[in-house]
Each structure stands twice: as structure tokens, then as C-alpha cells.
Amino acid sequence: MKKLTTIIAILFLATTFAFAQLKNNHANIVIVHGSWSSAGDWAAVAVQLKSNGNEVTVVNLPGHGTDETPINQISLQGYVDAVKKAIGAKKEVILIGHSFGGIVISEVAEQIPSQIKKLIYVAAYIPKNGQSLLDVANTDANSDVPKYLQIEKEKGIAGIAANGIASTFVPDAPQQVQAYVVAHFKAEPLAPLATPVTLTATNFGSVAKVFVHTFNDKVNSYPLQQRMVKDANITRFYGLPSSHTPFVSMPAVLTAIIENEAK
């Protein structure tokens, strides 16, 4: 049995010394945001990664942020195709997925495993073969999302009640950031959330994986994160005392973790 490697991320990782050691990494890093999110939410991390010499692409999934792709044209494979397009012919890619982005990067790794050096799951969902995001999330008895979830089947979207957005997704962010998130919150297309992945041991199983735990997560709870990591046989992981969005509340620490794994 492999020796379990536990790596606890501490604030010292984000000091000047840490970044001095990690500069000029020149890694190819591709980031995939989660549900009710967009590429812009990762700006602070992306800027720091780029300033240290990495090539960074934050994929904005169809229907998110300012993208106006019609809901009936959005699918999980469409998300996967958007990530594959961003990767292009690149090799040795460090592919990062947050939350629902974990579903997307898992399917990408299945389809182009030879181009992916490592998957980094940040508070992300890790599916098993045949599972959808909803299959996994519905096993989370500790999530606050069901309290505020608003499903509009006729429109094909899922929203979150305004009074639950900040407390669920960004409780550790500054008040002005919370207000911005609430004001710009956008409903999530339903179809991709219910679409199962197809994963094999030969492809997806061959790619190295790392997990970044978020101890105070009210979306994807820490107990569920632990179960998914165990089921996926991931033996290298970090832990952050953050909510579901460490790229907002502690971007410097998360950047240091990513760069450490991209070496």
C-alpha cells in the first residue's frame, strides 16, 4: 500500500521566499472554473502565475460570464471541447478544475490523456465512471446549496437564492467582493450538471492527480471531498482553511500550491 502523503498548505507558502523559489517555472497551466462562476473569478491567481513566468489560460465555459451561448446549445461535451481547444497541441499541461470544473477536467483527461501532466482539483468534484455532477453532489449531506437552490426546468437553468450566495460561496471574502458576487451571479445551465462522464483506468486513470481541500466549504463539504479523494486513490493533497473559493480569499497561497505542483 502506498504511503499516504499529506501536505498541509500554510500561509508561509505565499511569502516572498516561496515565490522566489518558484519563479521562472514556465509551466503550461490551464484553469477551468466551476458552476455559477467564470474565468474572471480566477484573475488574481492568473496574474500571479503569469508574473512568475508560467503560460496561463483560464477557460471561460460557454454560457458563463459574458458568454451568451444559448442554453439549449450548452452541453458537457461543449465544455470539454472548449478546454481542449484552449489546450490545443500543448503537452505537459497542468490542468486545474474548481468545483464542477473537476467533472470537466476529468473528461478532458479521459479524451486527451497524453497531453495532461497533472490534474489539480481545487474544492472540486471527482466523478467515477458513469456519474454526473448531480450524482456526486446529491451525496453531500453537509452542503448548504440545497437550501438555496432554485431549479427552473422549463428554462433549463439552476440558480441560487440571493440571500444564500455570499454565505455559501464567499463567506470569507471582503464585503465589497461579496456584494459584487451577488450582483453578478448568473444562473447555471442544467444539462451539463446531469450528464454522466465516461472514464477509464487506461486514460483518466493514468493521469497524476492532486487535490486542494477547503476545510470550511459550504458547497462541496470537506467530508465529501475526503470521500472522493479516497475513492480516486489520490495520495497527494493540500488543505486550506478557506471557503469554496480560495482563489478569491487566499489567491497567493493557492498560487504557491499550483506552482509547487507545476515544477
Side-chain angles (χ1 to χ4, degrees):
M1 184 175 181
K2 293 182 179 179
K3 181 179 179 181
L4 185 64
T5 303
T6 304
I7 308 170
I8 302 299
I10 59 176
L11 295 178
F12 295 115
L13 280 173
T15 62
T16 303
F17 174 77
F19 281 113
Q21 297 296 325
L22 295 170
K23 278 185 178 291
N24 301 315
N25 226 14
H26 301 297
N28 283 320
I29 299 173
V30 176
I31 300 171
V32 182
H33 64 78
S35 299
W36 300 295
S37 186
S38 70
D41 296 339
W42 279 80
V45 171
V47 167
Q48 292 185 33
L49 288 170
K50 289 177 181 178
S51 71
N52 289 342
N54 300 289
E55 184 175 342
V56 182
T57 302
V58 187
V59 181
N60 195 82
L61 298 177
H64 294 76
T66 59
D67 183 86
E68 297 297 334
T69 300
I71 295 295
N72 62 3
Q73 294 180 21
I74 295 175
S75 65
L76 178 59
Q77 186 58 49
Y79 290 169
V80 171
D81 289 343
V83 178
K84 289 166 64 177
K85 181 179 180 180
I87 292 173
K90 296 174 186 174
K91 300 284 188 178
E92 298 288 293
V93 172
I94 304 298
L95 184 57
I96 302 167
H98 170 250
S99 196
F100 173 62
I103 303 290
V104 179
I105 68 170
S106 297
E107 188 64 55
V108 171
E110 172 66 25
Q111 295 184 20
I112 54 169
S114 64
Q115 293 179 248
I116 310 301
K117 178 180 180 180
K118 184 179 296 182
L119 299 177
I120 301 179
Y121 293 90
V122 179
Y125 295 94
I126 312 173
K128 297 177 183 177
N129 180 45
Q131 286 187 322
S132 68
L133 179 280
L134 293 179
D135 291 331
V136 182
N138 285 339
T139 68
D140 193 353
N142 298 293
S143 174
D144 280 357
V145 170
K147 299 178 186 178
Y148 304 107
L149 188 63
Q150 298 176 328
I151 301 292
E152 297 184 61
K153 290 184 178 180
E154 68 284 357
K155 294 182 179 180
I157 58 175
I160 298 292
N163 65 330
I165 295 172
S167 63
T168 303
F169 291 88
V170 288
D172 50 358
Q175 189 171 8
Q176 65 270 26
V177 174
Q178 293 183 355
Y180 179 88
V181 170
V182 174
H184 293 82
F185 211 74
K186 187 176 181 179
E188 182 73 15
L190 273 174
L193 305 181
T195 303
V197 296
T198 300
L199 305 176
T200 63
T202 301
N203 292 354
F204 171 70
S206 68
V207 181
K209 302 171 183 67
V210 176
F211 198 95
V212 180
H213 287 291
T214 43
F215 296 144
N216 303 319
D217 202 318
K218 295 183 179 181
V219 177
N220 179 9
S221 73
Y222 181 50
L224 175 58
Q225 293 177 26
Q226 289 177 300
R227 293 200 306 273
M228 292 187 294
V229 165
K230 181 179 180 181
D231 290 346
N233 196 32
I234 295 176
T235 58
R236 185 169 179 82
F237 48 88
Y238 297 78
L240 292 174
S242 81
S243 70
H244 190 58
T245 53
F247 46 89
V248 173
S249 60
M250 46 182 63
V253 182
L254 184 56
T255 299
I257 291 172
I258 293 169
E259 291 202 313
N260 186 58
E261 288 300 324
K263 289 188 297 184

